[in-house]
Amino acid sequence: MRHHGPGSARAVRAALDAARPGAVLVEGPAEADVLIPLAADEDMRPPVALLAHAVDEPGRSAFWPLAEFSPEWVAIRWALEHGVPARFVDLPAAHTLAWGPAEADGDGTDAGDADGAGDADGDGGAEGRTPGADLRIDPLGVLAGIAGHDDPERWWEDVVEHRGAAEGDVLAPFTALEEAMAALRATYGSGGHDRDPVREAYMRLQLRSARREFGDGVAVVCGAWHVPALRQRTTVAADRALLKGLPKVKTEVTWVPWTHRRLSRAGGYGAGVDSPGWYGHLFAAPDRPVERWMTRVAGLLREEDRPVSSAHVIEAVRLADTLAAMRGRPLPGLSEMTDAVRAVMCDGSDVPLALVHDRLVVGDVLGEVPRTAPAVPLQRDLDRSQRRLRLRPEASARDLELDLRKETDAGRSTLLHRLRLLGVDWGEPAASRGSTGTFRETWRLHWEPELSVRVAEAGVWGTTVLAAATGKAQADAVGARGLAAVTALAEHCLLAGLPAALPTVMRVLADRAALDTDVGHLAQALPALVRSLRYGDVRGTDTGALAEVAAGLAERIFVGLPPACAGLDADAADEMRRRLDEVHGAVALLGDVLAPERADLRERWHRVLGVVSGRDTVPGVVRGRAVRLLLDDGELAQDEAARLMGLALSPGTPPGEAAAWIEGFAGGGGGMLLVHDERLLGLVDGWLTAVPARAFTDVLPLLRRTFSTYEPGVRRTLGELLRRGPRAAGRMAGGPASGIPGFDPQPDVERADAVLPMVRLLLGLAGDHASAADGDDVSNSPTDDLVGVDT
């Protein structure tokens, strides 16, 4: 049979019903026999997979996936329903896992399938290939080629998936496949797979044992490629000689959920199929599969607001039937269905067709396993946490918005952060929509079957998620390279709620900070520490020790930054400019969380920026950025900023250095400064028009990079100002007015006051400011009364 195919699965069930064997032997790891009864549990829903991993090295693992339309699953279910013993007869995982990457076949596949796609013979899709793996043949491809077909999948659908068993002889398809495989093995040998003879020797021994126990009424369900080898006449001694001296490791085996997406070849599983969702449909809907499929497609497209009517469904079915008849196929296959859907329901477009392929042809079905299935202690603790927090794993990706002020959401955030620390990336942080408050978090959740292996690997750190994350954080702190890695780990510990790990992390952090003399490293580490303080305040975490380390880092940055900015090349200067921005934001937050006696940090930082902005040895992009930061904080008057710009853009300054100064000053949202301050815009305009032609091509890339970051409206306004002449309108009005209507050197307080009632209504503050006409004292600024509101 083929490992994943609805036609093969139905044929296996029909053959078992007809033969009524006394025992059923299934290709799979022998250790999993004890797990077979769980297949009858009402909570077991395929697709699922057998997971085997080495006890001492959980990362060495293998999967044996089974879908509802897998013949092995059908055989197991048939045996359980009829009270017939069922056993796995393939080589134990203890041997296949001990083989190691160098001796394994590389990608978890073998030539032992009728489809040539392989089966999970022990690697479960492990990466890497051995030279022998490239010699394997594709039995399905060879048979399809002999039949004159260039598409093995399509040929298999025609001869098996769309045709039932022959009348009166349900074993006829298996007999035909056995003859074909025998001919192929006679021509190609074992297909270049070194492991096949060992596996087949073990299966022959298990078959002999079952016959002694149950008689000749034994059914074996395996890949068609193995059948000739199982019928081969060999001695017990010869088979045992092949198994002698095999390496072995201690293993554990359990059931884990699987997904249709991981059954597809695109998901990386070697024995997969291109269209698991389509095959699942064929297996679940043996009657009128075409009509039912088109109805599902129409429902999906309607959910996406595409106009699809019942008439579209009827026409698509007719077109699919017509295409199948023209191509000589017994029933419309996936290619005919796809062509019909594209032409009738998608108006010839491949965009909605891609959605149909992703959601239906492949699909996001996630299996379930019962709670009684064996699991490592860490997995059981994770399951309890998921149930308590109502955070169910799902195969499809979804966004999760969390409000950390709520107990359940805070618990979910903590769990996800702990799992990320353990390398179990179930959730990825995403940008929050509509709020930038520290109490908001957005996660992108996507559960993959491989995460079960990650959980097993993380079990070496502890038996609970909390204990494992704590142990992993402590070990990572000791082995971390660089100060930035330790500060990032401290931030993770606070986010994950690991108070027991913080003392170790803080000790390592203090030691690394004391020994590191690179100002760039210190500047890279400070923002993460300040973010940790910020999140610690939101989550109620004691961050006193962290605050002291952060303050010490800031002090050392203040001392070492001016000399560190001198003599930098272009790349280092650009990196230092980014560090300047990060430290500036970190110092602003740090001044708010430290004790009052350390409140002068911001003033001292401003003095450092003043020193950097006035040193000629500092690259222009760094000096320009320092001036911009001081101007934004109100520490530098606009007249002084214009003077410094004039000096930087003077004729004696090389054009490249002047362009770099403009990039540092005007980059990152500086367009509005030029819009509202005509003196600065005039200086830039005057300098640019005076740049010699020979130097213009050198400064143009810097200028394009600077001005391309502006919003389209800002660029349009600047262009309008320059077209009219920045100072022309001001001279006409007798003052420094803007060159285009709508701009004024001073805010219009009356117009600003008119907006306040609506702003208060939106913020729920309408009742707090009843009337300014009643004699109440109102704020001096139109927006002073909104300060402190968390939006």
Side-chain angles (χ1 to χ4, degrees):
M1 54 80 189
R2 183 186 189 184
H3 284 279
H4 301 303
S8 296
R10 284 195 294 267
V12 165
R13 186 163 56 193
L16 292 174
D17 286 334
R20 295 286 173 174
V24 177
L25 308 183
V26 179
E27 184 180 340
E31 298 98 331
D33 283 351
V34 295
L35 300 177
I36 289 178
L38 289 174
D41 194 293
E42 61 180 8
D43 293 330
M44 178 75 87
R45 294 182 179 85
V48 293
L50 289 168
L51 164 63
H53 66 86
V55 174
D56 298 330
E57 192 179 347
R60 179 175 292 190
S61 59
F63 292 102
W64 286 261
L66 298 173
E68 186 180 12
F69 51 83
S70 299
E72 299 95 334
W73 179 261
V74 170
I76 292 171
R77 292 283 300 181
W78 186 93
L80 293 173
E81 291 168 1
H82 292 80
V84 174
R87 294 176 183 173
F88 288 113
V89 293
D90 204 350
L91 192 68
H95 297 304
T96 56
L97 293 179
W99 238 304
E103 298 144 301
D105 69 300
D107 64 351
T109 69
D110 71 8
D113 297 21
D115 64 351
D119 64 355
D121 63 356
D123 297 76
E127 295 182 358
R129 295 180 65 89
T130 60
D134 295 328
L135 300 177
R136 290 175 293 176
I137 67 166
D138 177 2
L140 180 59
V142 174
L143 293 176
I146 294 173
H149 288 256
D150 57 358
D151 187 345
E153 285 290 324
R154 181 171 173 174
W155 175 81
W156 181 262
E157 275 196 359
D158 286 348
V159 300
V160 177
E161 305 304 339
H162 292 163
R163 299 185 187 272
E167 284 290 336
D169 188 4
V170 295
L171 297 179
F174 304 106
T175 303
L177 277 176
E178 180 184 350
E179 293 175 357
M181 293 301 141
L184 288 175
R185 290 187 71 120
T187 303
Y188 296 100
S190 64
H193 198 307
D194 296 336
R195 191 181 298 180
D196 272 352
V198 178
R199 295 176 57 208
E200 290 161 354
Y202 186 86
M203 285 192 276
R204 284 193 295 265
L205 291 175
Q206 295 299 103
L207 179 57
R208 292 189 184 100
S209 176
R211 281 178 168 172
R212 287 195 301 268
E213 184 176 355
F214 303 106
D216 289 336
V218 176
V220 181
V221 181
C222 65
W225 184 263
H226 300 302
V227 176
L230 297 186
R231 290 195 184 276
Q232 181 181 351
R233 293 184 178 275
T234 61
T235 65
V236 174
D239 287 341
R240 288 178 176 172
L242 287 173
L243 300 172
K244 186 176 181 180
L246 289 180
K248 188 176 182 180
V249 295
K250 186 178 180 181
T251 60
E252 290 182 350
V253 186
T254 187
W255 289 107
V256 295
W258 205 249
T259 67
H260 273 180
R261 194 169 300 280
R262 284 292 289 132
L263 278 171
S264 68
R265 284 198 181 97
Y269 170 50
V273 290
D274 293 323
S275 50
W278 165 248
Y279 275 6
H281 168 77
L282 289 179
F283 186 76
D287 62 315
R288 304 177 70 84
V290 178
E291 292 82 354
R292 295 178 186 273
W293 179 259
M294 291 300 184
T295 302
R296 291 182 61 191
V297 172
L300 173 63
L301 294 177
R302 286 184 191 129
E303 291 176 0
E304 299 298 324
D305 296 329
R306 289 193 63 86
V308 179
S309 66
S310 56
H312 286 89
V313 176
I314 295 171
E315 289 302 319
V317 171
R318 289 174 177 172
L319 179 57
D321 288 335
T322 302
L323 290 173
M326 293 175 61
R327 296 170 181 175
R329 308 194 68 179
L331 280 175
L334 182 58
S335 58
E336 286 74 31
M337 306 289 263
T338 301
D339 291 342
V341 169
R342 179 192 289 111
V344 178
M345 299 186 187
C346 300
D347 300 324
S349 173
D350 286 336
V351 175
L353 194 65
L355 177 69
V356 174
H357 182 273
D358 184 68
R359 299 277 186 87
L360 296 182
V361 177
V362 177
D364 280 320
V365 178
L366 175 65
E368 297 181 13
V369 300
R371 298 177 184 176
T372 54
V376 297
L378 180 61
Q379 179 67 62
R380 289 195 290 268
D381 182 67
L382 175 58
D383 292 340
R384 287 192 294 268
S385 299
Q386 289 171 338
R387 291 193 298 271
R388 175 175 54 85
L389 297 172
R390 301 189 297 279
L391 201 58
R392 183 179 180 181
E394 296 179 7
S396 58
R398 68 184 181 96
D399 289 336
L400 178 67
E401 299 281 349
L402 299 180
D403 185 344
L404 301 182
R405 297 170 296 184
K406 299 178 181 179
E407 182 178 355
T408 300
D409 282 0
R412 290 172 174 176
S413 172
T414 299
L415 175 64
L416 293 172
H417 279 295
R418 289 173 180 174
L419 291 176
R420 277 177 56 80
L421 196 58
L422 291 171
V424 183
D425 295 328
W426 176 19
E428 292 285 342
S432 295
R433 298 190 300 268
S435 174
T436 57
T438 57
F439 58 85
R440 293 284 185 185
E441 275 188 358
T442 302
W443 291 83
R444 184 75 169 172
L445 301 184
H446 188 196
W447 183 267
E448 291 281 0
E450 291 87 347
L451 296 180
S452 299
V453 178
R454 301 284 182 86
V455 174
E457 288 179 314
V460 300
W461 300 107
T463 57
T464 66
V465 177
L466 173 60
T470 299
K472 181 70 160 51
Q474 292 172 334
D476 287 349
V478 175
R481 294 183 177 181
L483 181 61
V486 185
T487 55
L489 183 60
E491 183 179 10
H492 292 163
C493 288
L494 287 171
L495 295 173
L498 304 177
L502 273 177
T504 301
V505 176
M506 294 307 304
R507 184 179 67 253
V508 175
L509 177 60
D511 293 343
R512 297 286 177 87
L515 296 175
D516 201 325
T517 58
D518 191 314
V519 174
H521 293 168
L522 300 178
Q524 185 180 6
L526 182 62
L529 284 181
V530 176
R531 286 195 303 268
S532 301
L533 290 170
R534 188 187 188 200
Y535 279 108
D537 179 63
V538 173
R539 297 165 187 263
T541 307
D542 183 9
T543 57
L546 203 61
E548 289 302 317
V549 175
L553 282 182
E555 297 279 357
R556 296 177 60 192
I557 291 172
F558 295 167
V559 174
L561 184 64
C565 290
L568 300 177
D569 60 18
D571 292 337
D574 194 57
E575 180 68 20
M576 184 60 73
R577 176 181 62 86
R578 289 194 291 269
R579 294 282 176 258
L580 215 64
D581 284 340
E582 294 170 357
V583 172
H584 184 76
V587 170
L589 290 174
L590 190 59
D592 296 334
V593 298
L594 290 179
E597 58 270 16
R598 309 295 293 272
D600 62 337
L601 278 179
R602 191 173 303 181
E603 297 179 5
R604 297 175 57 193
W605 171 244
H606 289 152
R607 291 198 294 269
V608 173
L609 290 177
V611 172
V612 170
S613 66
R615 286 194 176 181
D616 294 337
T617 55
V618 175
V621 66
V622 178
R623 286 188 287 119
R625 198 60 181 174
V627 172
R628 167 71 184 281
L629 295 176
L630 290 171
L631 181 63
D632 287 347
D633 281 2
E635 297 297 318
L636 193 67
Q638 289 190 344
D639 290 341
E640 180 62 15
R643 186 186 71 83
L644 292 174
M645 178 180 282
L647 292 175
L649 303 183
S650 62
T653 305
E657 183 70 11
W661 197 97
I662 293 176
E663 182 183 12
F665 179 83
M672 293 305 296
L673 277 176
L674 301 181
V675 168
H676 289 282
D677 194 325
E678 293 188 39
R679 291 171 299 175
L680 300 181
L681 181 58
L683 287 170
V684 175
D685 183 42
W687 167 80
L688 185 58
T689 56
V691 172
R694 62 180 181 278
F696 185 77
T697 55
D698 295 332
V699 302
L700 183 60
L702 291 176
L703 296 175
R704 287 180 60 88
R705 186 170 63 184
T706 300
F707 290 96
S708 64
T709 60
Y710 295 168
E711 294 289 336
V714 173
R715 293 200 300 268
R716 186 167 53 251
T717 303
L718 287 175
E720 183 68 16
L721 281 169
L722 293 173
R723 185 180 69 84
R724 299 188 179 190
R727 297 187 179 278
R731 290 193 298 268
M732 291 173 61
S738 175
I740 61 174
F743 292 98
D744 195 87
Q746 298 298 327
D748 190 330
V749 178
E750 184 177 352
R751 294 179 63 189
D753 286 339
V755 178
L756 283 181
M758 179 57 69
V759 175
R760 292 184 184 128
L761 181 62
L762 292 174
L763 297 178
L765 304 175
D768 297 342
H769 303 270
S771 173
D774 295 338
D776 295 339
D777 184 22
V778 297
S779 58
N780 295 325
S781 169
T783 55
D784 283 348
D785 54 352
L786 299 180
V787 174
V789 176
D790 190 348
T791 59

